[in-house]
Amino acid sequence: MIIVVAGVSGTGESSVGKALSEHFNLPFLDADDFHPAQNIAKMQSGSALTDKDRWPWLTTLAEALTKHHQEKGAVLACSALKESYRALLSANYTLPIIWITLTGSARLLEARLSARQSHFFDGRLLQTQLATFEAPNYGIQIDVADPLDKVVAQAASYIKQHA
Ligand SMILES: Nc1ncnc2c1ncn2[C@@H]1O[C@H](COP(=O)(O)OP(=O)(O)O)[C@@H](O)[C@H]1O
Ligand SMILES: O=C(O)[C@H](O)[C@@H](O)[C@H](O)[C@H](O)COP(=O)(O)O
């Protein structure tokens, strides 16, 4: 089973993805750990990534998902902001991915990002991520105003029904 938890920075992809990986006993992959150093430096300096910056990163992630699909499966936390990125991640929709998309108001996400400690992401990029984000018309979308355990329970229930 391959699960991707998507959403703009601050929606809790990493927290929800980690919790789901424990719940379903699957390996956890955080897309942040796959960024090349120049992408991290760019975001740290307050500049948004371009498609060109993201393409090699997404290609590596698609390869990792394909490998895990042949094994036990995995949970990936990844912004996956655009449909074209999700097409690439899913090897042109051939990987049977269960999509969990997290959404929240700009105000709520700003507050969560400013409270978060020691992360390379520059909160000023949130507006560009919200402008770039294209919601998928498949999978489930979960509003993250609820506490983490409730968001995870909603996601887990959807996954059980669609596995
Ligand atoms: N549902 C939630 N309720 C309250 N705080 C949350 C929730 N989800 C995540 N957080 C907190 O918000 C911050 C951002 O979460 P994180 O998982 O790092 O998001 P992302 O990976 O999407 O940027 C973290 O400090 C995390 O503990
Ligand atoms: O495609 C991108 O612009 C980045 O991948 C971005 O979407 C991601 O949000 C950052 O890596 C911050 O990481 P968090 O999402 O964990 O805050």
Side-chain angles (χ1 to χ4, degrees):
M1 176 160 71
I2 298 284
I3 298 160
V4 178
V5 184
V8 302
S9 187
T11 50
E13 315 120 72
S14 304
S15 308
V16 173
K18 184 98 193 26
L20 289 173
S21 75
E22 284 160 14
H23 184 92
F24 291 103
N25 193 26
L26 291 170
F28 174 61
L29 311 177
D30 195 323
D32 283 349
D33 299 335
F34 290 73
H35 274 303
Q38 65 263 33
N39 283 5
I40 305 272
K42 193 167 180 182
M43 287 188 272
Q44 260 167 345
S45 73
S47 297
L49 300 181
T50 62
D51 283 4
K52 198 165 165 251
D53 296 321
R54 290 180 176 124
W55 222 249
W57 167 67
L58 290 165
T59 303
T60 304
L61 289 169
E63 284 163 6
L65 287 185
T66 302
K67 180 181 142 283
H68 282 283
H69 175 55
Q70 287 153 4
E71 298 166 2
K72 194 182 170 187
V75 180
L76 169 70
C78 179
S79 46
L81 299 175
K82 292 188 189 178
E83 191 54 42
S84 58
Y85 302 169
R86 294 187 289 271
L88 177 51
L89 277 175
S90 61
N92 211 16
Y93 305 106
T94 58
L95 284 176
I97 295 175
I98 300 178
W99 290 93
I100 309 293
T101 302
L102 305 180
T103 61
S105 70
R107 209 168 145 185
L108 175 79
L109 302 180
E110 266 161 29
R112 289 201 181 152
L113 285 176
S114 54
R116 184 170 69 173
Q117 303 294 317
S118 60
H119 192 287
F120 62 81
F121 190 76
D122 184 320
R124 288 174 297 178
L125 294 182
L126 176 62
Q127 292 307 330
T128 68
Q129 289 215 347
L130 286 167
T132 304
F133 178 62
E134 299 164 2
N137 60 2
Y138 45 81
I140 184 174
Q141 297 200 30
I142 303 178
D143 188 305
V144 299
D146 284 331
L148 182 61
D149 57 350
K150 209 169 158 196
V151 174
V152 172
Q154 261 182 278
S157 157
Y158 177 84
I159 292 162
K160 274 183 209 123
Q161 286 164 33
H162 292 82

